[in-house]
Amino acid sequence: MTDVDLPLTAIAPQRPPKSQANWMRTWFGTPGNTLITLVCVGALLVLAKLAVDWLLVKATFAGTPADCKSGSGACWPFLAAKLRYMLFGFYPFEEQWRPLLALSLFLGGALVSMLPWLWGRALFGAWCLALIPALYILMAGGVFGLVPVPTSQWGGLPLSFLLSFVGLACALPLGIFLALSRVSELPIIRILAVSFIEIVRGVPLISILFMATVMLPLFMPEGVTIDKLVRAQVAIIIFAAAYIAEIVRGGLQDIPRGQIEAGSALGLHYWLVMFKIVLPQAMKKVIPPLVGLFIGFFQDTTLVTIVGLLDFLDTVRSAMRDPAWQGIAVLESYLFAAAVYFTFSALMGSYSRFLERYFKTTHD
């Protein structure tokens, strides 16, 4: 059988797939790119070896502070000794099963709520009528034989979730209302919405927290006080709503005017047009910036330390102030905190991409 008789694919040179060719050209296409790639790979291998030695090979997995001081690796006994305090703060030690159960219920409810095909009035009612009251009863106590625990003793990871996720859940409808008000054709409503949004966005969150905690009690009647946690939560809701309003307004502006006119031609009034036609399309377009905002606010709850609330990062910091462990496990503590924040932020980012695929927001 001669070459003439062979099929064309048998005698033609086999080219690598296009994606593989692009990858090879990017990393090894020129001598300069090849040198940079090799240097980066070598640096990563060296860093990986140093990290494994510090984290595992030379680490201290059990012992006392003295054992950690004499070692040259990570001090994992510190995390074992301080883990419950980092997670729950000053919550009574013997009652810490309650915030653990509340946190588990919250995360379980959040996972179920992430499934779009379960969204509806039943899920909303389950949160409002069952899950949220159960979480509050577990944390606050005072009923069903549970020991009362004031909010001043709440802290750690449950407080971070409470301030961020509950705050954003309440801020989302308020932000949508502000966005609709800002694009309203009624001048008074539009001016009020613009004024509120610009004033709130014009100051940092730490200023609003400071005013809600320090300045607000000065204007209250004598003998009337508002819980510090409630004040911080309201401040976060107001601040987040202003930013959500601008994100949603960007989505509303991307909807063609003909959509609204078509709804009006069908005899639908303004609110039906907005909630049945315009808002569903606008909210799909703003999923990435909304999730980015949620991730940012989850991390910004660390600012509540200025008003005397101990969120997760602050309980990690205060655990390092223990005289017995002071100056020993600083890097390990911050690595643990970073891992927790990274895990939940990465999960929210992945969920954002899932929603984009589910609602088909891209046009490939």
Side-chain angles (χ1 to χ4, degrees):
M1 188 175 187
T2 64
D3 290 344
V4 177
D5 301 323
L6 292 174
L8 183 60
T9 56
I11 60 176
Q14 297 295 318
R15 295 182 179 180
K18 186 176 181 181
S19 59
Q20 182 181 352
N22 291 338
W23 182 85
M24 295 291 291
R25 187 163 49 249
T26 300
W27 295 97
F28 302 99
T30 63
N33 284 355
T34 303
L35 178 62
I36 294 174
T37 299
L38 294 177
V39 170
C40 292
V41 170
L44 289 175
L45 291 176
V46 172
L47 291 175
K49 182 182 182 303
L50 294 175
V52 170
D53 287 343
W54 185 79
L55 291 170
L56 300 174
V57 178
K58 300 178 181 179
T60 301
F61 291 95
T64 63
D67 297 325
C68 289
K69 288 181 180 179
S70 61
S72 59
C75 178
W76 300 123
F78 171 79
L79 292 181
K82 297 294 184 180
L83 181 61
R84 292 181 65 167
Y85 177 78
M86 290 179 180
L87 293 179
F88 307 120
F90 290 111
Y91 206 91
F93 187 84
E94 64 279 0
E95 299 291 331
Q96 287 181 358
W97 63 271
R98 290 159 50 183
L100 177 61
L101 179 58
L103 189 61
S104 302
L105 288 175
F106 172 79
L107 293 177
L111 287 174
V112 172
S113 303
M114 286 181 176
L115 303 176
W117 48 87
L118 295 180
W119 293 352
R121 295 180 182 178
L123 183 62
F124 180 77
W127 272 94
C128 294
L129 301 178
L131 191 55
I132 292 179
L135 296 177
Y136 179 78
I137 290 172
L138 280 172
M139 292 295 296
V143 295
F144 304 119
L146 298 176
V147 178
V149 179
T151 57
S152 59
Q153 294 183 291
W154 297 10
L157 203 56
L159 181 64
S160 295
F161 278 113
L162 172 68
L163 291 173
S164 56
F165 287 92
V166 174
L168 290 168
C170 297
L172 183 61
L174 178 58
I176 294 174
F177 173 76
L178 287 171
L180 294 175
S181 300
R182 183 155 187 171
V183 299
S184 173
E185 297 180 355
L186 301 176
I188 296 179
I189 295 178
R190 186 173 62 252
I191 291 173
L192 290 175
V194 170
S195 301
F196 176 86
I197 293 171
E198 296 304 326
I199 290 174
V200 173
R201 292 200 311 152
V203 295
L205 174 59
I206 196 170
S207 299
I208 297 180
L209 288 170
F210 182 80
M211 292 181 62
T213 305
V214 179
M215 301 295 294
L216 181 61
L218 300 178
F219 297 94
M220 300 297 294
E222 187 176 356
V224 177
T225 58
I226 301 177
D227 189 88
K228 185 185 298 185
L229 178 60
V230 175
R231 283 179 276 166
Q233 185 73 86
V234 172
I236 291 175
I237 291 172
I238 292 174
F239 192 79
Y243 281 84
I244 291 174
E246 286 300 282
I247 293 176
V248 175
R249 184 173 69 93
L252 292 174
Q253 290 180 334
D254 195 49
I255 304 301
R257 181 69 183 177
Q259 299 278 334
I260 302 176
E261 295 173 351
S264 301
L266 292 174
L268 302 177
H269 59 74
Y270 174 81
W271 292 111
L272 273 179
V273 172
M274 284 297 169
F275 284 100
K276 296 294 185 180
I277 300 176
V278 177
L279 269 179
Q281 300 180 69
M283 295 303 293
K284 289 197 299 184
K285 295 177 180 292
V286 298
I287 288 175
L290 274 181
V291 175
L293 180 71
F294 291 173
I295 293 174
F297 270 92
F298 173 61
Q299 299 169 356
D300 285 344
T301 54
T302 55
L303 295 175
V304 298
T305 183
I306 195 176
V307 299
L309 297 174
L310 293 179
D311 75 306
F312 173 64
L313 183 59
D314 205 54
T315 55
V316 172
R317 290 197 194 106
S318 59
M320 294 186 291
R321 301 188 189 109
D322 187 337
W325 296 94
Q326 194 166 11
I328 296 178
V330 176
L331 183 57
E332 294 89 329
S333 301
Y334 282 116
L335 282 177
F336 174 66
V340 172
Y341 280 110
F342 173 80
T343 299
F344 288 104
S345 299
L347 288 175
M348 285 187 280
S350 300
Y351 183 61
S352 171
R353 294 187 290 273
F354 163 74
L355 288 180
E356 291 177 52
R357 293 192 299 269
Y358 181 81
F359 290 113
K360 298 180 176 63
T361 58
T362 57
H363 304 282
D364 298 330

